[in-house]
Amino acid sequence: RVFHASNGILIVLALELLSLDRIFVLTILAGLLLLLLAMDAVRLARPGLNRLFFQVFSSLASPREAKKIASSTWYLCGAVLTLLLFPISVAVPGILVLALADPAAGFVGRKWGTLRLGAGTVRGSATFLAVTFMVLLPYVPWWAALAASLATTLVEAIPWPLDDNLTIPLTSAGVLLLLTS
């Protein structure tokens, strides 16, 4: 969860605090994404390398990734697409939602979630909603933050084959763009 949060915060810090050029950041992230995609392709094609991947990254990898693209690859893909498709004003909060709300919801859902709701739990989804709202509030009016929080929470809870590391920032930024432009 710390790794998940740190990655998004580092992307946002590069853009906001360090004022690095968007194209420069996108170029670095796209290069990393291509590297991760290549590593996933090789790992998935070679069972021995896949086993090694799970030994080396046991604290970061999930068993569901044994036959699928790694969540970290989806995470980077979500961040890259969000930065490519949306203005910085909505891309940054969308990436922060991915960085902060997703791991918070996962923690609460696994620790205290008893009642299932879609792909997660009621308490995990409530946490996701609350954290998303708090993350978005400094960027947009409260009503836009609430609407985007509700929409993104719904998308995060849907049990579909798309990885939430891809759908969360795209949904959040997309709804914000629709509501604030």
Side-chain angles (χ1 to χ4, degrees):
R1 287 179 264 288
V2 171
F3 184 72
H4 195 90
S6 299
N7 287 323
I9 290 170
L10 284 173
I11 293 168
V12 169
L13 286 176
L15 292 163
E16 297 284 301
L17 190 63
L18 299 177
S19 300
L20 294 180
D21 181 65
R22 176 189 186 139
I23 300 300
F24 177 72
V25 172
L26 265 171
T27 302
I28 291 171
L29 294 177
L32 287 171
L33 177 58
L34 290 174
L35 178 65
L36 288 180
L37 284 168
M39 290 172 58
D40 277 341
V42 171
R43 165 183 75 82
L44 292 170
R46 310 279 308 224
L49 286 177
N50 202 24
R51 283 190 297 279
L52 179 63
F53 172 81
F54 278 92
Q55 288 172 346
V56 173
F57 297 107
S58 61
S59 63
L60 298 176
S62 165
R64 67 186 163 99
E65 298 170 315
K67 296 182 181 177
K68 295 181 179 180
I69 292 175
S71 290
S72 55
T73 305
W74 285 115
Y75 189 103
L76 198 50
C77 185
V80 166
L81 285 174
T82 302
L83 285 170
L84 270 174
L85 298 173
F86 299 103
I88 290 288
S89 61
V90 296
V92 163
I95 291 169
L96 282 175
V97 167
L98 173 62
L100 301 173
D102 196 34
F107 176 76
V108 169
R110 283 182 190 91
K111 187 133 177 114
W112 296 291
T114 53
L115 185 59
R116 301 292 309 162
L117 175 67
T121 67
V122 170
R123 288 182 180 162
S125 290
T127 301
F128 187 93
L129 178 69
V131 173
T132 300
F133 181 72
M134 289 186 287
V135 165
L136 297 180
L137 203 51
Y139 293 93
V140 295
W142 70 268
W143 54 269
L146 181 59
S149 297
L150 289 167
T152 309
T153 301
L154 177 64
V155 166
E156 193 266 345
I158 294 173
W160 54 6
L162 293 175
D163 192 285
D164 66 354
N165 289 315
L166 175 66
T167 60
I168 288 170
L170 292 172
T171 301
S172 182
V175 172
L176 289 177
L177 183 64
L178 288 173
L179 295 174
T180 60
S181 58

